[in-house]
Amino acid sequence: MSHNPNLPTFTQIGIYKIEGLISRGGMSLLYLASDPKTGEPLILKVLLPKYLSEKDVVERFLNEAHIISLANHPNIVRLVDSGRWEGGLFIAMEFIKGSSLRKIFQHQPYTLKRAMDVLLQIAYA
């Protein structure tokens, strides 16, 4: 987990307890959090405060939550919750332990057959 003194630090977002900052994207922050009802780990994506006044960015963020909510496939992250909190907007998703596909392909040589198998799984999702 990373820590940057220039980024907002939260102990709670909505009802979710924040465990730490995972990463910063272009328009959002990703936090590791836990569900107070189940104790399960979650990922919370939070729109950076400077974008809350930009209608098109807010619409894209809310649309992302809506699209995730429509997906029902084992290869697509599951939406747990989304909405507004006193600091802005969030999307709560299931936590999936592992590496990104980019990191996996960078560190492990893949045969064409294995790469095609992975690509097919992505296409089915």
Side-chain angles (χ1 to χ4, degrees):
M1 306 229 190
S2 61
H3 176 71
N4 182 332
N6 299 326
L7 296 176
T9 303
F10 303 109
T11 57
Q12 189 165 332
I13 292 175
I15 64 168
Y16 304 103
K17 181 179 181 241
I18 300 303
E19 307 295 337
L21 179 68
I22 293 177
S23 69
R24 178 188 176 146
M27 296 187 296
S28 61
L29 302 170
L30 290 181
Y31 290 97
L32 178 63
S34 59
D35 186 323
K37 298 172 193 161
T38 65
E40 291 292 317
L42 301 170
I43 295 296
L44 256 64
K45 183 174 187 175
V46 176
L47 187 63
L48 287 169
K50 68 181 182 180
Y51 293 109
L52 291 170
S53 61
E54 296 188 28
K55 185 179 177 198
D56 60 324
V57 175
V58 168
E59 284 179 16
R60 281 197 314 255
F61 190 84
L62 295 172
N63 193 43
E64 179 181 345
H66 178 69
I67 290 169
I68 295 170
S69 75
L70 297 175
N72 183 15
H73 192 278
N75 291 354
I76 299 175
V77 69
R78 181 179 52 85
L79 181 77
V80 174
D81 191 10
S82 66
R84 297 185 186 278
W85 62 293
E86 58 276 5
L89 298 171
F90 73 90
I91 299 172
M93 299 168 277
E94 71 178 317
F95 173 76
I96 299 174
K97 189 173 174 128
S99 295
S100 71
L101 190 57
R102 177 182 297 181
K103 285 183 182 178
I104 290 170
F105 278 144
Q106 286 175 343
H107 296 354
Q108 297 175 0
Y110 269 70
T111 64
L112 181 58
K113 181 185 181 329
R114 178 68 180 130
M116 291 303 292
D117 287 343
V118 171
L119 184 60
L120 280 172
Q121 288 181 46
I122 293 168
Y124 287 133

